[in-house]
Amino acid sequence: MGGRLANVVAIITGAGRGIGRATAELFAREGARVVLCSRTSRELRAALSTIKAAGGEAAARVTDIGSPRQARALVRFAVRRYGRLDLLINNAGILGPRVPISDYPIREWQRVLRINLSGTFYMSREAARVMAAQGHGCIITLSSSVGRAGRAGWGAYAVSKFGVEGLMQVLADELRSVGVYAMTFNPGATRTAMRAEAYPREDRDRLRHPPLSARALLQLATNASPAISGNAFDLENLP
Ligand SMILES: NC(=O)c1ccc[n+]([C@@H]2O[C@H](COP(=O)([O-])OP(=O)(O)OC[C@H]3O[C@@H](n4cnc5c(N)ncnc54)[C@H](OP(=O)(O)O)[C@@H]3O)[C@@H](O)[C@H]2O)c1
């Protein structure tokens, strides 16, 4: 299949719904061989069938990125199946409770950081090893406006996004010289299950649609270069 991602092998985490699913579908249409994951199988199976029905090449594996063993197995699965790994989209994440820090339940704090921050680290660590050995690759992590300026009531979610901003900067600095790039992308308010959980009463018709984020991620992935590695992007400053 031709397209802007012909011959590219991409892992997209959290691809069962929302931004991850739209990204997997677009990347497959652009010719990438895509590997999808999420913790549960129903939405993942539906995403996989849609991609295959449209003629795309895709594989899926139920994976909790918050488990180092499962994150490693996912990267190995992708490399075994398609021979290499060019692109990792760290999209999977959870919201957690919207309460002030002084009331934030400790178990929820640990759960959000385990998935959003440690899970992104586990995936990026495994992918970086493969990509550095290949001498090329790109890692893009979904961030948030609350991961760039703290805001009341966003708790562990915000802190986890600050963490992934730092993680991508460190990776970018370590791997730029070997042709591996890392950056973050903030999609802004987007019509997904996570957004509905955060703002149950808002008018959903005013929100951006996931395919807009998917197109932005495609633009970032195809324009990745040493000059922009380590940067933080949103829809307004795409390269
Ligand atoms: N929507 C927005 O307005 C918005 C704004 C700023 C940033 N973002 C970021 O964009 C990304 C995608 O958000 P979204 O709104 O599309 O969320 P979403 O609709 O809730 O989808 C999240 C996806 O991640 C999967 N997932 C969650 N935890 C996982 C884990 N531990 N391992 C593997 N998969 C996991 C979910 O499936 P399972 O539940 O089956 O695992 C689901 O497929 C997130 O990183 C989010 O923080 C979103």
Side-chain angles (χ1 to χ4, degrees), residues 42-211:
R42 194 177 52 82
E43 293 175 325
L44 199 57
R45 275 202 309 270
L48 190 63
S49 338
T50 304
I51 291 171
K52 288 190 166 172
E57 175 59 47
R61 187 179 169 108
V62 169
T63 300
D64 179 353
I65 61 155
S67 152
R69 192 179 48 78
Q70 291 183 41
R72 170 180 289 187
L74 179 66
V75 172
R76 289 191 172 169
F77 169 75
V79 173
R80 218 172 32 246
R81 182 147 182 143
Y82 293 126
R84 59 171 197 278
L85 177 62
D86 306 292
L87 195 51
L88 167 64
I89 307 294
N90 283 315
N91 166 80
I94 58 169
L95 182 65
R98 298 283 321 281
V99 296
I101 294 291
S102 47
D103 296 329
Y104 209 92
I106 287 170
R107 287 188 72 86
E108 288 298 313
W109 176 270
Q110 290 166 340
R111 192 171 76 94
V112 173
L113 288 175
R114 179 180 71 81
I115 293 175
N116 294 8
L117 180 55
S118 298
T120 300
F121 160 66
Y122 302 144
M123 287 301 303
S124 302
R125 175 179 184 267
E126 297 304 325
R129 290 177 168 183
V130 174
M131 291 172 176
Q134 290 170 168
H136 78 100
C138 178
I139 300 175
I140 305 175
T141 297
L142 275 284
S143 185
S144 166
S145 54
V146 299
R148 294 174 181 172
R151 204 180 310 155
W154 284 85
Y157 177 84
V159 173
S160 72
K161 296 299 187 184
F162 269 92
V164 299
E165 293 283 350
L167 176 64
M168 290 303 106
Q169 288 181 22
V170 172
L171 260 182
D173 203 37
E174 289 174 352
L175 297 178
R176 185 178 286 108
S177 62
V178 296
V180 179
Y181 311 130
M183 47 208 139
T184 61
F185 171 66
N186 164 32
T190 307
R191 190 169 164 169
T192 67
M194 183 189 284
R195 177 75 192 184
E197 189 186 342
Y199 295 97
R201 279 178 294 279
E202 79 181 339
D203 178 4
R204 285 167 61 80
D205 291 340
R206 298 165 63 94
L207 299 173
R208 291 165 172 159
H209 288 248

